[in-house]
Amino acid sequence: MIKLSNNYELPNLGLGTFLMNDDAETKRVILEAIEIGYRHFDTAQMYFNEHVIGDALLASGLKRSEFFITTKLNRHHSKAKTRELIYKSFADLKVDYIDLLLIHWPNHDDKINIQTWEVFEEFYEKGLVKAIGLSNFTRYQMEQLIPHVKIKPHVNQVEMHPGLSQVNLIKYLNDHGIQLMGYGPLMRGNLFNEPYFSVLDKIAKKYKASIAQIAIAWGLAKNVIMIPKSVNKERLGENFNASKIILKEEDIKLIDKLNTGRRMYADPANNVYGNFIE
């Protein structure tokens, strides 16, 4: 478990659900993940699967206190529309509170980010959301937000993997008591290409593990919440068991050296997903 700056705790390993668009498959994956031991599920309005995840969690028989949901607001809107969309997530997920709510992508107008954040603060202060945060915000975008809000973000979810280690961002977040959550740990399969493969394969053999497990274990070793995604039951179990791998410092440093600043997903400073829609 990871304790956030407000003392709320989340599992440090969760299941990402990006591109899980088939309802039947998504429900199957969620139920299989629960069987394996997953209790933290990351979704977003933009994934169009909140309703299926809600159905699966109900069908699982788990008590609400036994699972954790992270979801994200789709784009930016007026305050009234933002409230309406957040309540829609409650309805689709079939819950009476959300563990972690994130702004999915930053708007390029800093004032709009602040306006959206003010609505998040309302939900947090009412206890309807247990923690609030950002997704895909750069240090510079955060610096335009933090001085102007009442409640500092608890989390920033960003792309993180051996090719994009986010060393400087992690230091900045640590200085501000903000938890990093990393997505895309498997680099969309590019872990199996050079210059990454040779190093990771050697380390994986040392621990009798897979390359994917090593990438996940590396993030966990850095105190990052990791949310790998898979729809394959065997790999779901493999990813989950990565939490049992304790990497030696020498191996962590070898993986750190693989950083090339390479993105597999959109650049937050040039994204087209954080636009304002009334």
Side-chain angles (χ1 to χ4, degrees), residues 22 62 75 97 105 174 196-197 252:
D22 180 273
L62 288 175
R75 307 188 190 277
Y97 69 88
W105 288 90
N174 287 343
Y196 317 105
F197 176 77
I252 294 171

mmCIF file of all heavy atoms in Angstrom, residues 22 62 75 97 105 174 196-197 252:
data_model
loop_
_atom_site.group_PDB
_atom_site.id
_atom_site.type_symbol
_atom_site.label_atom_id
_atom_site.label_comp_id
_atom_site.label_asym_id
_atom_site.label_seq_id
_atom_site.Cartn_x
_atom_site.Cartn_y
_atom_site.Cartn_z
ATOM 1 N N ASP A 22 -14.099 -3.839 -25.280
ATOM 2 C CA ASP A 22 -15.090 -4.894 -25.437
ATOM 3 C C ASP A 22 -15.703 -5.199 -24.078
ATOM 4 O O ASP A 22 -15.002 -5.609 -23.147
ATOM 5 C CB ASP A 22 -14.433 -6.145 -26.024
ATOM 6 C CG ASP A 22 -15.424 -7.279 -26.218
ATOM 7 O OD1 ASP A 22 -15.638 -8.052 -25.253
ATOM 8 O OD2 ASP A 22 -15.994 -7.380 -27.321
ATOM 9 N N LEU A 62 -17.194 -8.219 -3.780
ATOM 10 C CA LEU A 62 -16.316 -7.464 -2.882
ATOM 11 C C LEU A 62 -17.090 -6.335 -2.208
ATOM 12 O O LEU A 62 -17.962 -5.703 -2.821
ATOM 13 C CB LEU A 62 -15.146 -6.858 -3.660
ATOM 14 C CG LEU A 62 -14.048 -7.793 -4.159
ATOM 15 C CD1 LEU A 62 -13.058 -7.001 -5.011
ATOM 16 C CD2 LEU A 62 -13.334 -8.480 -3.013
ATOM 17 N N ARG A 75 -11.655 15.641 -20.542
ATOM 18 C CA ARG A 75 -11.477 17.007 -21.030
ATOM 19 C C ARG A 75 -11.870 18.035 -19.958
ATOM 20 O O ARG A 75 -12.031 17.705 -18.790
ATOM 21 C CB ARG A 75 -12.241 17.212 -22.335
ATOM 22 C CG ARG A 75 -11.880 16.135 -23.374
ATOM 23 C CD ARG A 75 -12.454 16.403 -24.731
ATOM 24 N NE ARG A 75 -12.296 15.269 -25.616
ATOM 25 C CZ ARG A 75 -11.200 14.982 -26.320
ATOM 26 N NH1 ARG A 75 -10.152 15.769 -26.228
ATOM 27 N NH2 ARG A 75 -11.146 13.912 -27.095
ATOM 28 N N TYR A 97 -18.521 6.678 -3.517
ATOM 29 C CA TYR A 97 -17.332 7.526 -3.435
ATOM 30 C C TYR A 97 -16.285 6.997 -4.403
ATOM 31 O O TYR A 97 -16.304 5.824 -4.793
ATOM 32 C CB TYR A 97 -16.771 7.598 -2.009
ATOM 33 C CG TYR A 97 -16.152 6.324 -1.484
ATOM 34 C CD1 TYR A 97 -14.799 6.033 -1.693
ATOM 35 C CD2 TYR A 97 -16.903 5.392 -0.762
ATOM 36 C CE1 TYR A 97 -14.215 4.875 -1.212
ATOM 37 C CE2 TYR A 97 -16.331 4.226 -0.276
ATOM 38 C CZ TYR A 97 -14.986 3.969 -0.503
ATOM 39 O OH TYR A 97 -14.422 2.812 -0.023
ATOM 40 N N TRP A 105 -5.974 15.174 -18.745
ATOM 41 C CA TRP A 105 -4.927 15.880 -19.500
ATOM 42 C C TRP A 105 -4.996 17.373 -19.176
ATOM 43 O O TRP A 105 -6.092 17.912 -19.006
ATOM 44 C CB TRP A 105 -5.105 15.677 -21.014
ATOM 45 C CG TRP A 105 -4.761 14.310 -21.484
ATOM 46 C CD1 TRP A 105 -5.605 13.239 -21.580
ATOM 47 C CD2 TRP A 105 -3.474 13.842 -21.909
ATOM 48 N NE1 TRP A 105 -4.938 12.135 -22.049
ATOM 49 C CE2 TRP A 105 -3.625 12.473 -22.260
ATOM 50 C CE3 TRP A 105 -2.221 14.433 -22.033
ATOM 51 C CZ2 TRP A 105 -2.562 11.692 -22.727
ATOM 52 C CZ3 TRP A 105 -1.164 13.651 -22.503
ATOM 53 C CH2 TRP A 105 -1.336 12.311 -22.841
ATOM 54 N N ASN A 174 8.348 14.511 -5.153
ATOM 55 C CA ASN A 174 8.736 14.181 -3.777
ATOM 56 C C ASN A 174 8.893 15.437 -2.934
ATOM 57 O O ASN A 174 8.502 15.475 -1.762
ATOM 58 C CB ASN A 174 10.041 13.381 -3.772
ATOM 59 C CG ASN A 174 9.856 11.954 -4.254
ATOM 60 O OD1 ASN A 174 8.740 11.450 -4.307
ATOM 61 N ND2 ASN A 174 10.946 11.292 -4.614
ATOM 62 N N TYR A 196 16.989 -1.603 -24.837
ATOM 63 C CA TYR A 196 16.409 -2.034 -23.561
ATOM 64 C C TYR A 196 16.507 -3.546 -23.341
ATOM 65 O O TYR A 196 16.777 -4.003 -22.227
ATOM 66 C CB TYR A 196 14.935 -1.594 -23.490
ATOM 67 C CG TYR A 196 14.726 -0.185 -23.978
ATOM 68 C CD1 TYR A 196 14.154 0.064 -25.227
ATOM 69 C CD2 TYR A 196 15.138 0.910 -23.213
ATOM 70 C CE1 TYR A 196 13.981 1.362 -25.694
ATOM 71 C CE2 TYR A 196 14.972 2.208 -23.677
ATOM 72 C CZ TYR A 196 14.390 2.422 -24.921
ATOM 73 O OH TYR A 196 14.244 3.692 -25.376
ATOM 74 N N PHE A 197 16.282 -4.318 -24.405
ATOM 75 C CA PHE A 197 16.113 -5.758 -24.250
ATOM 76 C C PHE A 197 17.307 -6.444 -23.591
ATOM 77 O O PHE A 197 17.141 -7.229 -22.641
ATOM 78 C CB PHE A 197 15.826 -6.411 -25.605
ATOM 79 C CG PHE A 197 15.736 -7.906 -25.538
ATOM 80 C CD1 PHE A 197 14.594 -8.528 -25.047
ATOM 81 C CD2 PHE A 197 16.814 -8.707 -25.931
ATOM 82 C CE1 PHE A 197 14.519 -9.908 -24.954
ATOM 83 C CE2 PHE A 197 16.738 -10.092 -25.842
ATOM 84 C CZ PHE A 197 15.594 -10.694 -25.358
ATOM 85 N N ILE A 252 18.723 -1.822 -10.211
ATOM 86 C CA ILE A 252 17.910 -0.615 -10.385
ATOM 87 C C ILE A 252 18.709 0.440 -11.142
ATOM 88 O O ILE A 252 18.204 1.085 -12.072
ATOM 89 C CB ILE A 252 17.455 -0.079 -9.012
ATOM 90 C CG1 ILE A 252 16.487 -1.071 -8.349
ATOM 91 C CG2 ILE A 252 16.792 1.297 -9.162
ATOM 92 C CD1 ILE A 252 16.141 -0.735 -6.911
#
